[in-house]
Amino acid sequence: MRMRESNEEEKKSVCVMDASGPLGHALVARLLRRGYTVHAATYPHHHHHPEEEYQQHPRLKLFRADPLDYHAIAAAVHGCSGLFAIFNTPSSSQSQSHSCFLDEEEGMVEAEVRAAHNILEACAQTDTMERVVFNSSVTAVLWHALAKTLSERTAWALAMDRGVDMVAINAGLLTGPGLTAGHPYLKGAPDMYDHGVLVTVDVDFLADAHIAAYECPTAYGRYLCFNNAICRPEDAAKLAQMLISSAAAPRPPAPPSDELKVIPQRIHTKKLNKLMLDFTSGVYGDIN
């Protein structure tokens, strides 16, 4: 893939889909500052109005997309050179009842796999597309989170079959406002802690990693992305307190500190660290 010149970036359009969450907001803001025309595509949400979330900007175009509607996705990525693909998984606290959540949970796997297929197929049919940055989860690299694992596997298979240049960012638990104990990532938290792979990431670091993965020509494959590893009892207590402090979250049972032990960290971000170093020291300018 040819190198992206800084004066060429200003002429290009990129799509952020789904642009409604914290990571979507951070990416849209950064991409606009870097001179891109941004297609901000948002999925249907209850009481969600994208035109109220984003102030008018001459290089911002709003789209309503549906992850299961191929034609809506194709319309959003039309004319774009890049796509940042995000699938915001609903938490149990967003459901009105436990049975409702179980219904959503049963359909989550199929929905994410179909969304990944539609997104990659639309990109393959977009002549101007240069790279897809696919946001996934650390859990997809490890052992659990079937929806994330299968959706990323689907995306990779289709990308290789259709010749789409794709890079995956496998992120830790995204911390910040809105995080609740019902987040699907936290279902495996005890086992992840015991195995030294419970990690978190803040939205600014995650957004910067996505930008680097898109703009740096040497980016390839998967990148583990986190900036905090929870390997000590005090780290686990701090995460539990964060969840307890969330107004929307049910009070989770915090494990007694004497039941936890210090666990060696077993995953690292060396590959991402090198990418970020190459990016910030290259011809691409400041990442912000």
Side-chain angles (χ1 to χ4, degrees):
M1 189 180 68
R2 58 192 176 89
M3 184 175 294
R4 297 173 174 85
E5 302 286 349
S6 59
N7 60 349
E8 188 181 10
E9 289 175 6
E10 297 179 355
K11 303 177 183 178
K12 291 185 177 178
S13 296
V14 293
C15 179
V16 178
M17 182 189 307
D18 177 11
S20 63
L23 176 56
H25 285 184
L27 281 171
V28 169
R30 279 165 169 75
L31 291 165
L32 289 173
R33 287 200 300 268
R34 295 181 73 79
Y36 290 97
T37 294
V38 179
H39 292 197
T42 58
Y43 294 156
H45 296 287
H46 187 53
H47 297 315
H48 175 65
H49 302 285
E51 62 276 3
E52 297 177 1
E53 290 189 27
Y54 291 104
Q55 296 180 352
Q56 289 187 349
H57 190 287
R59 286 184 281 103
L60 178 63
K61 300 179 180 180
L62 299 180
F63 292 81
R64 286 187 179 272
D66 185 325
L68 306 183
D69 184 342
Y70 170 81
H71 296 290
I73 293 173
V77 301
H78 179 72
C80 290
S81 62
L83 168 68
F84 297 86
I86 308 165
F87 193 91
N88 294 313
T89 303
S91 67
S92 59
S93 63
Q94 292 174 300
S95 299
Q96 296 180 349
S97 67
H98 181 65
S99 60
C100 177
F101 176 65
L102 288 177
D103 291 340
E104 290 183 0
E105 194 173 29
E106 290 173 358
M108 187 188 305
V109 173
E110 180 183 358
E112 290 206 25
V113 170
R114 287 181 60 192
H117 183 278
N118 286 339
I119 287 169
L120 267 295
E121 183 63 39
C123 289
Q125 299 301 324
T126 302
D127 293 338
T128 54
M129 188 62 61
E130 295 181 353
R131 174 169 289 172
V132 173
V133 180
F134 188 88
N135 182 68
S136 189
S137 170
V138 164
T139 58
V141 177
L142 301 169
W143 47 272
H144 118 125
L146 183 61
K148 292 297 182 188
T149 303
L150 293 182
S151 64
E152 187 186 334
R153 185 181 300 171
T154 297
W156 277 117
L158 198 57
M160 289 185 286
D161 183 63
R162 301 289 194 273
V164 176
D165 182 358
M166 188 180 100
V167 176
I169 301 295
N170 295 87
L173 175 66
L174 181 60
T175 56
L179 176 63
T180 74
H183 194 288
Y185 187 103
L186 291 170
K187 290 182 179 180
D191 286 338
M192 294 175 75
Y193 181 90
D194 290 341
H195 288 83
V197 295
L198 181 57
V199 293
T200 66
V201 62
D202 65 68
V203 69
D204 291 328
F205 186 82
L206 183 56
D208 288 345
H210 279 72
I211 300 292
Y214 174 66
E215 291 193 3
C216 190
T218 58
Y220 70 98
R222 284 170 148 181
Y223 290 87
L224 292 178
C225 182
F226 58 90
N227 55 0
N228 182 42
I230 300 174
C231 299
R232 302 174 301 169
E234 53 265 41
D235 299 330
K238 186 181 297 184
L239 176 61
Q241 185 60 45
M242 181 189 305
L243 298 173
I244 291 172
S245 301
S246 175
R251 181 176 292 271
S257 59
D258 57 359
E259 293 184 6
L260 297 176
K261 57 183 179 180
V262 175
I263 302 295
Q265 180 180 336
R266 291 195 167 88
I267 56 174
H268 301 275
T269 59
K270 293 179 180 179
K271 183 180 177 183
L272 177 64
N273 294 342
K274 183 179 185 305
L275 175 71
M276 301 289 276
L277 179 62
D278 290 347
F279 182 80
T280 55
S281 61
V283 297
Y284 313 102
D286 183 74
I287 199 166
N288 292 315

